[in-house]
Amino acid sequence: MKMQFPAPKRDLRLDLFRGFANWAMFLGHVSSSVLAWFSFRNYGFSDGADLFVFISGYTSALVFGRKMVEDGVAFGASRLLRRVGQIYTAHVLLFVIYLASVHFFSNQFNAPDLIDRFNVGPLLASPVETITQGLLLRYKPLNLDVLPLYVVLMSAFPPVLWLMLRYRNWVMAGSILLYFAARQFGWNLPSFPSGVWYFNPFAWQLLFVLGAWLALGGANALHFLVRSKAVLIFGVAYLIFATAMTMAGQIPELQKLFPRVLFEAFNPNDKTNLAPYRVLHLAVLIILGARFIPIDAAGLQAVLWKPVIKCGQQSLEVFAVGIYLSFLAYFVLQTTSSGVIAQLLVGAGGISIMTTVAYYRSWSKRVEKHPHGHSNLLAVQKPLAPAGEAVQSGEEMTVSAA
């Protein structure tokens, strides 16, 4: 049965929340006691990474699923794999620049602790093997874990998406079984020089596939949850509980308010294998977000949100820049001042740079589509496609979806 896609319509909520996820991951990666409180991780079980992976699955299914249905499976799969190449290229560039920068700043400013902190030691011990393992996605310096996960998930997505267009619910069920099997039997991919992936792809695929399932019709089947008053009450209570448990892990005095067995059930938070309480936390956020922020909410057009939305639309570039800036921000704070004012200035500066990159990439892509001297002619010959372009640029991170 051929799946029918609705008329394309830009969902600014996806851009908004992915923009916030990028900002939150940058602030969280700075390793600053102040900036971390501006990220998601101190207020609940899930954080920016969970939201980022979920939205990527949602937008990937929308964009590439439509291409498979309208232009053929082979064409859709080729577009998807081309996006995988773009993401992998971005990772390799970030990987090389990141390693070179850590090594340079460590030597130039006599800061040998940077080598160990950012896991660059293997490069000095065996540079050729380390670079090779990095290209194979097995070796990852500190904070460079998300893009390799994204490459793996997107690489496996063509056959998964093809199946989802036909047997959506069965694929979702298979994803859930794989998730629990990975947690039960300890399935993960090996890292170099030892250990396993920080983001276990066998577990984290659940969020990616869940996003795709919702995009391909699952949201309609579960819409009753959005309207349910009981779900609303439970959701609010669960978010309060998650905040209390997470903050108790940050503030020792709060730990005394909870039974030890309860506190230890949620601390430390199992991020590597995506603990079920993280999935439930994100699910609650999605349901409440859909309830209180409809797709046509007038507030989404407010000037206040435009920088965040732009960062969500140019997510790949903004994410890569944010990871590198998190290293620079940490270095600046360690070599100058780590006071509250300095941390706030560094955080604001990093977000400003990320936003500038987003606006620049948006402008440059428009120029590439309509070269100077031909834009007026193109405008006359070919009318704008508001709907199709909307969905695509809404996920500029995916080909303009992944």
Side-chain angles (χ1 to χ4, degrees), residues 140-271:
K140 295 173 283 293
L142 181 69
N143 297 332
L144 263 66
D145 301 279
V146 175
L147 284 183
L149 171 68
Y150 197 24
V151 169
V152 169
L153 295 179
M154 287 290 287
S155 297
F157 198 48
V160 172
L161 179 56
W162 180 80
L163 287 172
M164 291 196 80
L165 292 173
R166 291 155 177 79
Y167 313 104
R168 181 187 67 215
N169 294 337
W170 284 106
V171 174
M172 188 70 251
S175 174
I176 295 173
L177 288 175
L178 176 59
Y179 165 76
F180 282 110
R183 289 183 54 82
Q184 176 65 31
F185 301 111
W187 297 345
N188 201 338
L189 296 181
S191 287
F192 175 85
S194 61
V196 294
W197 281 36
Y198 180 69
F199 291 99
N200 182 350
F202 297 112
W204 279 78
Q205 55 78 28
L206 177 66
L207 297 184
F208 194 86
V209 174
L210 175 62
W213 181 79
L214 291 174
L216 297 178
N220 294 331
L222 298 182
H223 188 66
F224 71 95
L225 296 176
V226 176
R227 302 189 305 267
S228 171
K229 186 175 181 180
V231 171
L232 172 62
I233 295 173
F234 168 80
V236 172
Y238 187 72
L239 293 183
I240 294 174
F241 171 75
T243 300
M245 284 291 102
T246 303
M247 294 189 71
Q250 304 293 328
I251 305 174
E253 290 75 13
L254 291 180
Q255 298 180 20
K256 302 174 183 178
L257 301 178
F258 305 100
R260 195 67 189 172
V261 64
L262 178 63
F263 172 79
E264 292 179 350
F266 299 96
N267 290 280
N269 190 327
D270 183 8
K271 189 171 186 177

